[in-house]
Amino acid sequence: MSTAMLTYLFVGASFSLYIGIAIWSRAGSTKEFYVAGGGVHPIANGMATAADWMSAASFISMAGIIAFLGYDGSVYLLGWTGGYVLLALLLAPYLRKFGQFTVPDFIGERYYSKAARIVAVICLIFISFTYVAGQMRGVGIVFSRFLEVDITVGVIVGMGVVFVYAVLGGMKGITYTQVAQYCVLIFAYMVPAIFISILITGNPVPQLGLGATVADGSGLSVLAKLDKTLLDLGFSPYTEGSKATVDVFAITMALMVGTAGLPHVIVRFFTVPKVSDARLSAGYALIFIALLYTTAPAVAAFARLNFVETINNTSYAEAPGWFKNWEEIGLIGWVDKNEDGVIQYAAGAAFVGSPTFNGAKGVTGERSLTNTPTDSTNEVYADRDIFVLANPEIASLPGWVIALVAAGGLAAALSTAAGLLLVVSTSISHDLLKKTLMPEITERQELLYARIAAAVAIGVAGYLGINPPGFVAQVVAFAFGLAAASLFPAILLGIFVKRMNKEGVIAGMLTGLIFTFAYIVFFKFVSPELNNSENWLFGISPEGIGTIGMVLNFLVAFSVSRVTTAPPAYIQDLVDDIRMPTGAGVAHKH
Amino acid sequence: MGEQKNGSSDQGAEEGIYHHEGGNLPTHGHHDEETLKEDVVRLYWRANLKLLGGLLVIWFVVSFGFSILFVDVLNEIPLFGFKLGFWWAQQGAIYVFVALIFVYVVLMKRIERRFGVDDD
């Protein structure tokens, strides 16, 4: 069977599985729609959380980014796993005890304020849509490369599948499809990683292969060889960073705290039966996540090594098929600067901007570019997103592995998109309509509104996927920075500081939000030419500024709450109640 | 290693507080249920905070300490095919994060049993 046939088969089979699960687990009440009835087993919830969390960015982009950044890529590994420690220790058990449906629910009730609830809803919707646009782009890439269909068709098919299980099944449908999607995505990630680890080092465990000796007789370890190879080509060594320590610190902190404050992750812990299950479930979630996150740096190093060795000083005529396939999609570009027909790879950009083709073919058969070449000897442009997807081809693995990776990438993108869309729809139907604008609606009406909101949200996400705003990549920093600067401090203070009142928390959230928002907008959109470390506050880039936003949030919240009245007695009792694990709402079995 | 040491010293401290304060309970005068319940809430919460503090110190040390602030120093030390600082940043810290959550699950259950507030 051809690779394309296999890919259709794998993707088709996995999609049917997701839809089958959705039909089996239809939601009948708002509790089932919002929190899956609260009866999900901690291990199942751990898997669902892992799939919910690991997005197209984790599956497709992360290893590629690390492959290029080397040590500096550690911020993603540390940030996106370390946040779970904060979540498990500081937030999840208490929010489960609180036992409502959404994150704005907690903020609205704890701070006895509709204004606080609305601020939280705004943060949540902004964070979630920023994130979901990236997922839809991931779906588009996989479809256009592996199934050779138009990106638009790909996104519409993806939307259709998410529509079926999110609108029908709500949280209940999403939970069990996410369990299946985790299994698909982790299998799809591990199989090629293991193959490549064996090929390069002879060690089947990628985590160990990363530190093993390259099986080419050189006697060097993978990382030592990579350092040496890159140095020879004019790059800085792989294992040493080039970012300033203060910036690495701030970015890691913003990503960690932002992770713990992401609404679609937090709500997963509303779905387990007990408070202690919320803790346990966070532990399982991190095991499932760590499996991929400790493999990714190995994949990154192997991919970089493989890429350099197969491409550098190879004549274009003899270049492997994948090089030309990705060139066809426009994610690889080659300009033969010295006109020798041989591909030279070195440090520095090959040309200005991302590749734009003029439709003609060059002397050696490559797609001609209209970009202005740079002075660098480098002739190759390679988009970071291709590394995981191209890895099986680069390592010449069999067709079924390539098909598997396509199905895995889709599982990662769809599971995260569904989780995000659900929190958007519940915050609209529950927080905005039921709790604020239309308190008189019945549960059935609320459920209907939730489904309508989910359908509309999917439509918006699909539109963003087909017409990606040019700034998608730039705004990812928003999602984490804003979650770190707004939601996380508000929730944390609500649990750990009894004296915190609505005045303090609203002032804090707005300060964190506006400061972080303004800083990112200024450096990313208003004056991008100033976006360098000389102009940054304390040398912190827009990616890490959420950390400062968070500190400001805490400072303002404490100062304001000092000079305003303490929260009413019933709120202080509520806090006492949240802190005790006993007496959480009873769950029902599935 | 650092973990275990911290965990056990924390436990000792909790035990100490509990027995100590427990012994002092009658000095509150009334034995009424309300006072007792408030004491349990307060002591349970204090034990929880101590445990949290200890675990978060480890969390900070392996991520921001070993992996970022002291990475250059640790990189001088080889660990199999890795430089030690690089290994912490891309592997080691993640393993410790997983361990921290499970240590918390187990020790928290123990604290809750001791105060009679576990949810089983």
Side-chain angles (χ1 to χ4, degrees):
Chain A
M1 236 191 284
S2 73
T3 303
M5 279 286 290
L6 280 165
T7 310
Y8 271 105
L9 189 73
F10 279 32
V11 171
S14 62
F15 278 20
S16 324
L17 175 67
Y18 308 151
I19 290 173
I21 292 171
I23 293 168
W24 164 72
S25 58
R26 278 192 50 159
S29 67
T30 47
K31 193 170 184 198
E32 284 188 344
F33 194 90
Y34 292 155
V35 293
V40 180
H41 189 276
I43 294 185
N45 189 52
M47 278 194 193
T49 309
D52 198 43
W53 170 241
M54 292 192 287
S55 57
S58 294
F59 189 95
I60 299 173
S61 311
M62 193 174 64
I65 293 172
I66 298 169
F68 276 90
L69 295 182
Y71 165 80
D72 285 340
S74 311
V75 295
Y76 301 105
L77 296 166
L78 291 169
W80 289 341
T81 53
Y84 277 83
V85 177
L86 299 178
L87 195 60
L89 269 56
L90 301 177
L91 309 183
Y94 308 107
L95 291 173
R96 172 62 193 89
K97 176 63 199 299
F98 174 67
Q100 294 285 325
F101 295 145
T102 68
V103 170
D105 242 349
F106 175 77
I107 292 177
E109 303 276 327
R110 164 64 181 83
Y111 296 112
Y112 46 101
S113 156
K114 278 189 180 161
R117 187 189 286 265
I118 301 297
V119 173
V121 170
I122 293 169
C123 297
L124 180 149
I125 290 178
F126 196 88
I127 293 166
S128 302
F129 268 121
T130 308
Y131 221 92
V132 91
Q135 306 313 313
M136 287 300 169
R137 178 183 136 86
V139 172
I141 292 181
V142 173
F143 267 98
S144 61
R145 167 63 188 88
F146 292 99
L147 300 173
E148 282 153 24
V149 296
D150 196 47
I151 288 197
T152 311
V153 177
V155 171
I156 290 173
V157 172
M159 279 165 59
V161 175
V162 173
F163 182 86
V164 170
Y165 67 77
V167 173
L168 268 187
M171 187 56 128
K172 199 173 159 200
I174 287 177
T175 300
Y176 293 106
T177 29
Q178 280 175 338
V179 171
Q181 282 160 337
Y182 176 76
C183 298
V184 172
L185 83 85
I186 199 68
F187 189 65
Y189 204 83
M190 296 307 295
V191 168
I194 291 169
F195 266 120
I196 295 169
S197 185
I198 294 174
L199 278 176
I200 294 186
T201 67
N203 192 322
V205 182
Q207 286 83 346
L208 300 177
L210 180 58
T213 309
V214 185
D216 64 353
S218 66
L220 291 170
S221 74
V222 172
L223 291 167
K225 178 152 190 212
L226 199 48
D227 277 351
K228 185 173 171 294
T229 311
L230 292 179
L231 264 175
D232 289 347
L233 295 176
F235 292 94
S236 55
Y238 190 79
T239 53
E240 284 165 31
S242 49
K243 281 194 169 105
T245 301
V246 61
D247 199 26
V248 172
F249 190 101
I251 296 175
T252 306
M253 184 64 93
L255 292 176
M256 278 193 188
V257 175
T259 298
L262 284 180
H264 71 288
V265 176
I266 293 176
V267 294
R268 289 242 44 102
F269 296 96
F270 289 125
T271 67
V272 293
K274 288 182 305 178
V275 173
S276 54
D277 289 337
R279 294 195 283 258
L280 189 59
S281 184
Y284 282 120
L286 190 56
I287 289 188
F288 296 134
I289 291 166
L291 194 53
L292 189 146
Y293 272 60
T294 53
T295 305
V299 170
F302 298 152
R304 187 75 186 272
L305 200 56
N306 248 336
F307 182 81
V308 176
E309 295 197 327
T310 38
I311 289 309
N312 191 31
N313 289 328
T314 304
S315 77
Y316 182 83
E318 287 163 19
W322 59 264
F323 190 83
K324 290 160 189 167
N325 288 339
W326 288 101
E327 188 187 13
E328 213 45 54
I329 310 285
L331 294 178
I332 279 183
W334 176 57
V335 49
D336 193 8
K337 289 181 183 168
N338 55 3
E339 296 171 358
D340 62 354
V342 176
I343 304 166
Q344 267 92 29
Y345 180 62
F351 42 75
V352 181
S354 50
T356 41
F357 301 94
N358 59 14
K361 293 277 181 187
V363 206
T364 0
E366 80 278 13
R367 297 179 74 191
S368 297
L369 294 148
T370 57
N371 306 62
T372 323
T374 60
D375 295 336
S376 153
T377 54
N378 181 25
E379 301 180 339
V380 186
Y381 168 92
D383 191 290
R384 293 166 186 190
D385 280 353
I386 69 172
F387 274 81
V388 167
L389 299 176
N391 223 353
E393 296 168 283
I394 297 178
S396 318
L397 297 181
W400 64 268
V401 180
I402 297 164
L404 191 60
V405 169
L410 288 172
L414 293 179
S415 58
T416 306
L420 289 162
L421 293 168
L422 188 87
V423 294
V424 169
S425 72
T426 54
S427 70
I428 289 172
S429 65
H430 184 71
D431 292 299
L432 217 51
L433 299 182
K434 175 76 183 175
K435 294 284 180 163
T436 313
L437 299 175
M438 307 157 74
E440 73 287 352
I441 56 173
T442 63
E443 191 189 321
R444 278 192 58 165
Q445 284 171 311
E446 193 186 334
L447 189 58
L448 180 66
Y449 281 121
R451 289 198 156 115
I452 294 171
V456 172
I458 291 170
V460 175
Y463 178 82
L464 292 174
I466 295 167
N467 306 295
F471 50 84
V472 165
Q474 282 101 310
V475 293
V476 175
F478 266 132
F480 288 93
L482 294 183
S486 60
L487 296 178
F488 179 82
I491 302 171
L492 190 75
L493 292 170
I495 298 162
F496 287 88
V497 183
K498 227 188 249 186
R499 176 66 173 72
M500 188 49 62
N501 57 13
K502 67 173 172 191
E503 291 84 357
V505 97
I506 294 173
M509 272 203 285
L510 289 176
T511 309
L513 192 66
I514 293 168
F515 169 79
T516 309
F517 189 86
Y519 192 88
I520 298 176
V521 167
F522 180 79
F523 281 116
K524 292 284 189 181
F525 303 108
V526 180
S527 306
E529 73 281 358
L530 294 179
N531 190 11
N532 58 59
S533 56
E534 280 170 29
N535 300 308
W536 294 338
L537 187 66
F538 310 125
I540 295 172
S541 61
E543 284 75 19
I545 202 65
T547 303
I548 303 294
M550 173 188 73
V551 173
L552 288 176
N553 183 334
F554 280 124
L555 289 177
V556 169
F558 275 114
S559 315
V560 172
S561 71
R562 276 283 160 92
V563 296
T564 42
T565 47
Y570 78 92
I571 292 295
Q572 310 209 15
D573 290 344
L574 173 75
V575 177
D576 271 336
D577 187 59
I578 289 170
R579 291 176 177 183
M580 297 305 280
T582 38
V586 197
H588 62 82
K589 283 247 177 331
H590 285 178
Chain B
M1 9 150 249
E3 234 163 80
Q4 247 182 3
K5 210 170 152 196
N6 216 309
S8 61
S9 71
D10 263 337
Q11 236 177 286
E14 281 145 24
E15 202 120 15
I17 287 170
Y18 177 58
H19 288 316
H20 172 70
E21 302 272 346
N24 281 344
L25 272 184
T27 61
H28 284 278
H30 322 284
H31 255 114
D32 59 284
E33 259 177 53
E34 206 50 29
T35 320
L36 248 168
K37 207 181 140 204
E38 263 172 34
D39 274 329
V40 167
V41 172
R42 202 163 44 82
L43 293 175
Y44 162 77
W45 190 244
R46 198 184 292 175
N48 178 18
L49 291 183
K50 277 209 134 177
L51 176 59
L52 282 179
L55 295 177
L56 287 177
V57 166
I58 300 171
W59 166 81
F60 188 86
V61 167
V62 297
S63 51
F64 295 95
F66 293 171
S67 304
I68 297 175
L69 297 174
F70 303 114
V71 68
D72 293 335
V73 184
L74 292 178
N75 271 346
E76 300 296 320
I77 306 165
L79 174 88
F80 301 103
F82 292 98
K83 294 172 176 177
L84 188 58
F86 183 86
W87 181 80
W88 273 110
Q90 301 212 342
Q91 296 280 312
I94 301 176
Y95 301 130
V96 175
F97 294 154
V98 174
L100 283 175
I101 298 183
F102 282 95
V103 168
Y104 181 63
V105 166
V106 171
L107 293 185
M108 209 48 199
K109 199 88 220 167
R110 215 175 276 175
I111 292 177
E112 286 169 6
R113 293 236 164 89
R114 194 178 309 147
F115 287 94
V117 295
D118 67 319
D119 56 0
D120 280 329

